[in-house]
Amino acid sequence: MILKKSNPVDYDVLDIVKKRWSPRAFAQKDISKDDILTMLEAARWTASAFNEQPWRFIVAVKDDSQKYTKLLNCLREGNQGWAANAPVLMLAIAKKTFSNTHGENKIARYDLGQAVSALVLQATELNIYSHQMAGIYADKAKEAYNLADDYEAVTAIALGYLGDIEQLPDDLQAKEKSERIRKSIAEITIETDL
Ligand SMILES: Cc1cc2nc3c(=O)[nH]c(=O)nc-3n(C[C@H](O)[C@H](O)[C@H](O)COP(=O)(O)O)c2cc1C
């Protein structure tokens, strides 16, 4: 069964915002090189403080099993199980210093998050679904990819087309079927005249 999830929006937002959700079941279908580059292009054009563009990505495709396994091993075990179905895995990395001054860029992770947001919305437009993960071994990634001291692996992203949820164990199938819940606008606005 391919699950189609939707969210009951109160205001009519962009289709890609309505359509995006984070699945754990992916189809055994590759993502084309062009589509991977299109997603990265969307990330590239994100705004950032001082236009530092502190986002970096490591991209592994399932066809290249050695590189794919290397990235998969940087995920926490709970994520590895289902993420191993995704045709593409990425690590999202923040460069935590400014290139000009070499001073600390305290906003680097914020900018990285924005870039990932653009990437996953572009993915949605291409009918590609994404599942972001904080459950990674950042130290392992640092060592495996020989990252410089001021680079930090912050999240991973599994990307692919929706797959049959029956490929998942029962507990994860239940999670997939669970209702999507959000705070109300009143709960996320601290002060407003609306
Ligand atoms: C930064 C970030 C980290 C996340 N980490 C994990 C993770 O390690 N494992 C996991 O299964 N889901 C993870 N998620 C997925 C969230 O649980 C999911 O986005 C949230 O429940 C909302 O569901 P939706 O994306 O389907 O709207 C993460 C999402 C984000 C944005």
Side-chain angles (χ1 to χ4, degrees):
M1 180 180 65
I2 309 276
L3 211 61
K4 292 262 179 207
K5 278 200 170 187
S6 60
N7 35 343
V9 295
D10 295 331
Y11 295 91
D12 198 17
V13 298
L14 293 173
D15 283 345
I16 48 173
V17 174
K18 277 188 275 191
K19 187 175 163 191
R20 187 210 61 80
W21 63 282
S22 305
R24 292 181 180 83
F26 294 99
Q28 297 309 299
K29 178 183 170 190
D30 291 344
I31 300 177
S32 72
K33 185 178 167 186
D34 231 45
D35 283 353
I36 296 172
L37 290 171
T38 303
M39 293 186 273
L40 291 168
E41 182 77 3
R44 193 165 82 90
W45 284 100
T46 302
S48 61
F50 297 105
N51 198 21
E52 173 64 31
Q53 306 159 60
W55 43 79
R56 302 288 184 274
F57 296 94
I58 292 170
V59 182
V61 298
K62 203 163 197 165
D63 275 356
D64 190 337
S65 63
Q66 208 181 340
K67 286 188 182 150
Y68 187 89
T69 306
K70 182 176 170 183
L71 206 156
L72 191 66
N73 284 337
C74 295
L75 308 185
R76 293 202 175 255
E77 287 71 11
N79 289 326
Q80 270 184 30
W82 58 263
N85 298 316
V88 173
L89 294 175
M90 292 190 189
L91 269 180
I93 294 159
K95 180 179 185 292
K96 298 187 295 179
T97 54
F98 284 110
S99 300
N100 285 347
T101 62
H102 305 293
E104 185 184 358
N105 181 359
K106 289 189 178 162
I107 213 78
R109 288 189 198 83
Y110 177 93
D111 287 345
L112 173 67
Q114 292 216 91
V116 172
S117 185
L119 186 150
V120 303
L121 287 176
Q122 181 65 55
T124 312
E125 179 69 17
L126 297 168
N127 208 29
I128 294 163
Y129 285 76
S130 57
H131 198 132
Q132 299 173 58
M133 291 162 269
I136 63 167
Y137 292 111
D139 290 347
K140 213 168 170 178
K142 193 159 207 150
E143 200 181 314
Y145 294 101
N146 207 15
L147 299 179
D149 279 349
D150 59 340
Y151 281 58
E152 180 190 341
V154 179
T155 54
I157 317 162
L159 293 146
Y161 299 93
L162 285 182
D164 191 337
I165 65 163
E166 273 144 40
Q167 70 185 273
L168 298 171
D170 289 349
D171 58 330
L172 291 185
Q173 283 194 38
K175 276 192 182 178
E176 296 296 270
K177 288 177 190 161
S178 66
E179 195 192 341
R180 300 183 68 215
I181 296 167
R182 287 300 191 269
K183 293 184 173 73
S184 66
I185 291 178
E187 286 172 292
I188 63 167
T189 46
I190 291 172
E191 188 172 286
T192 172
D193 289 331
L194 293 171

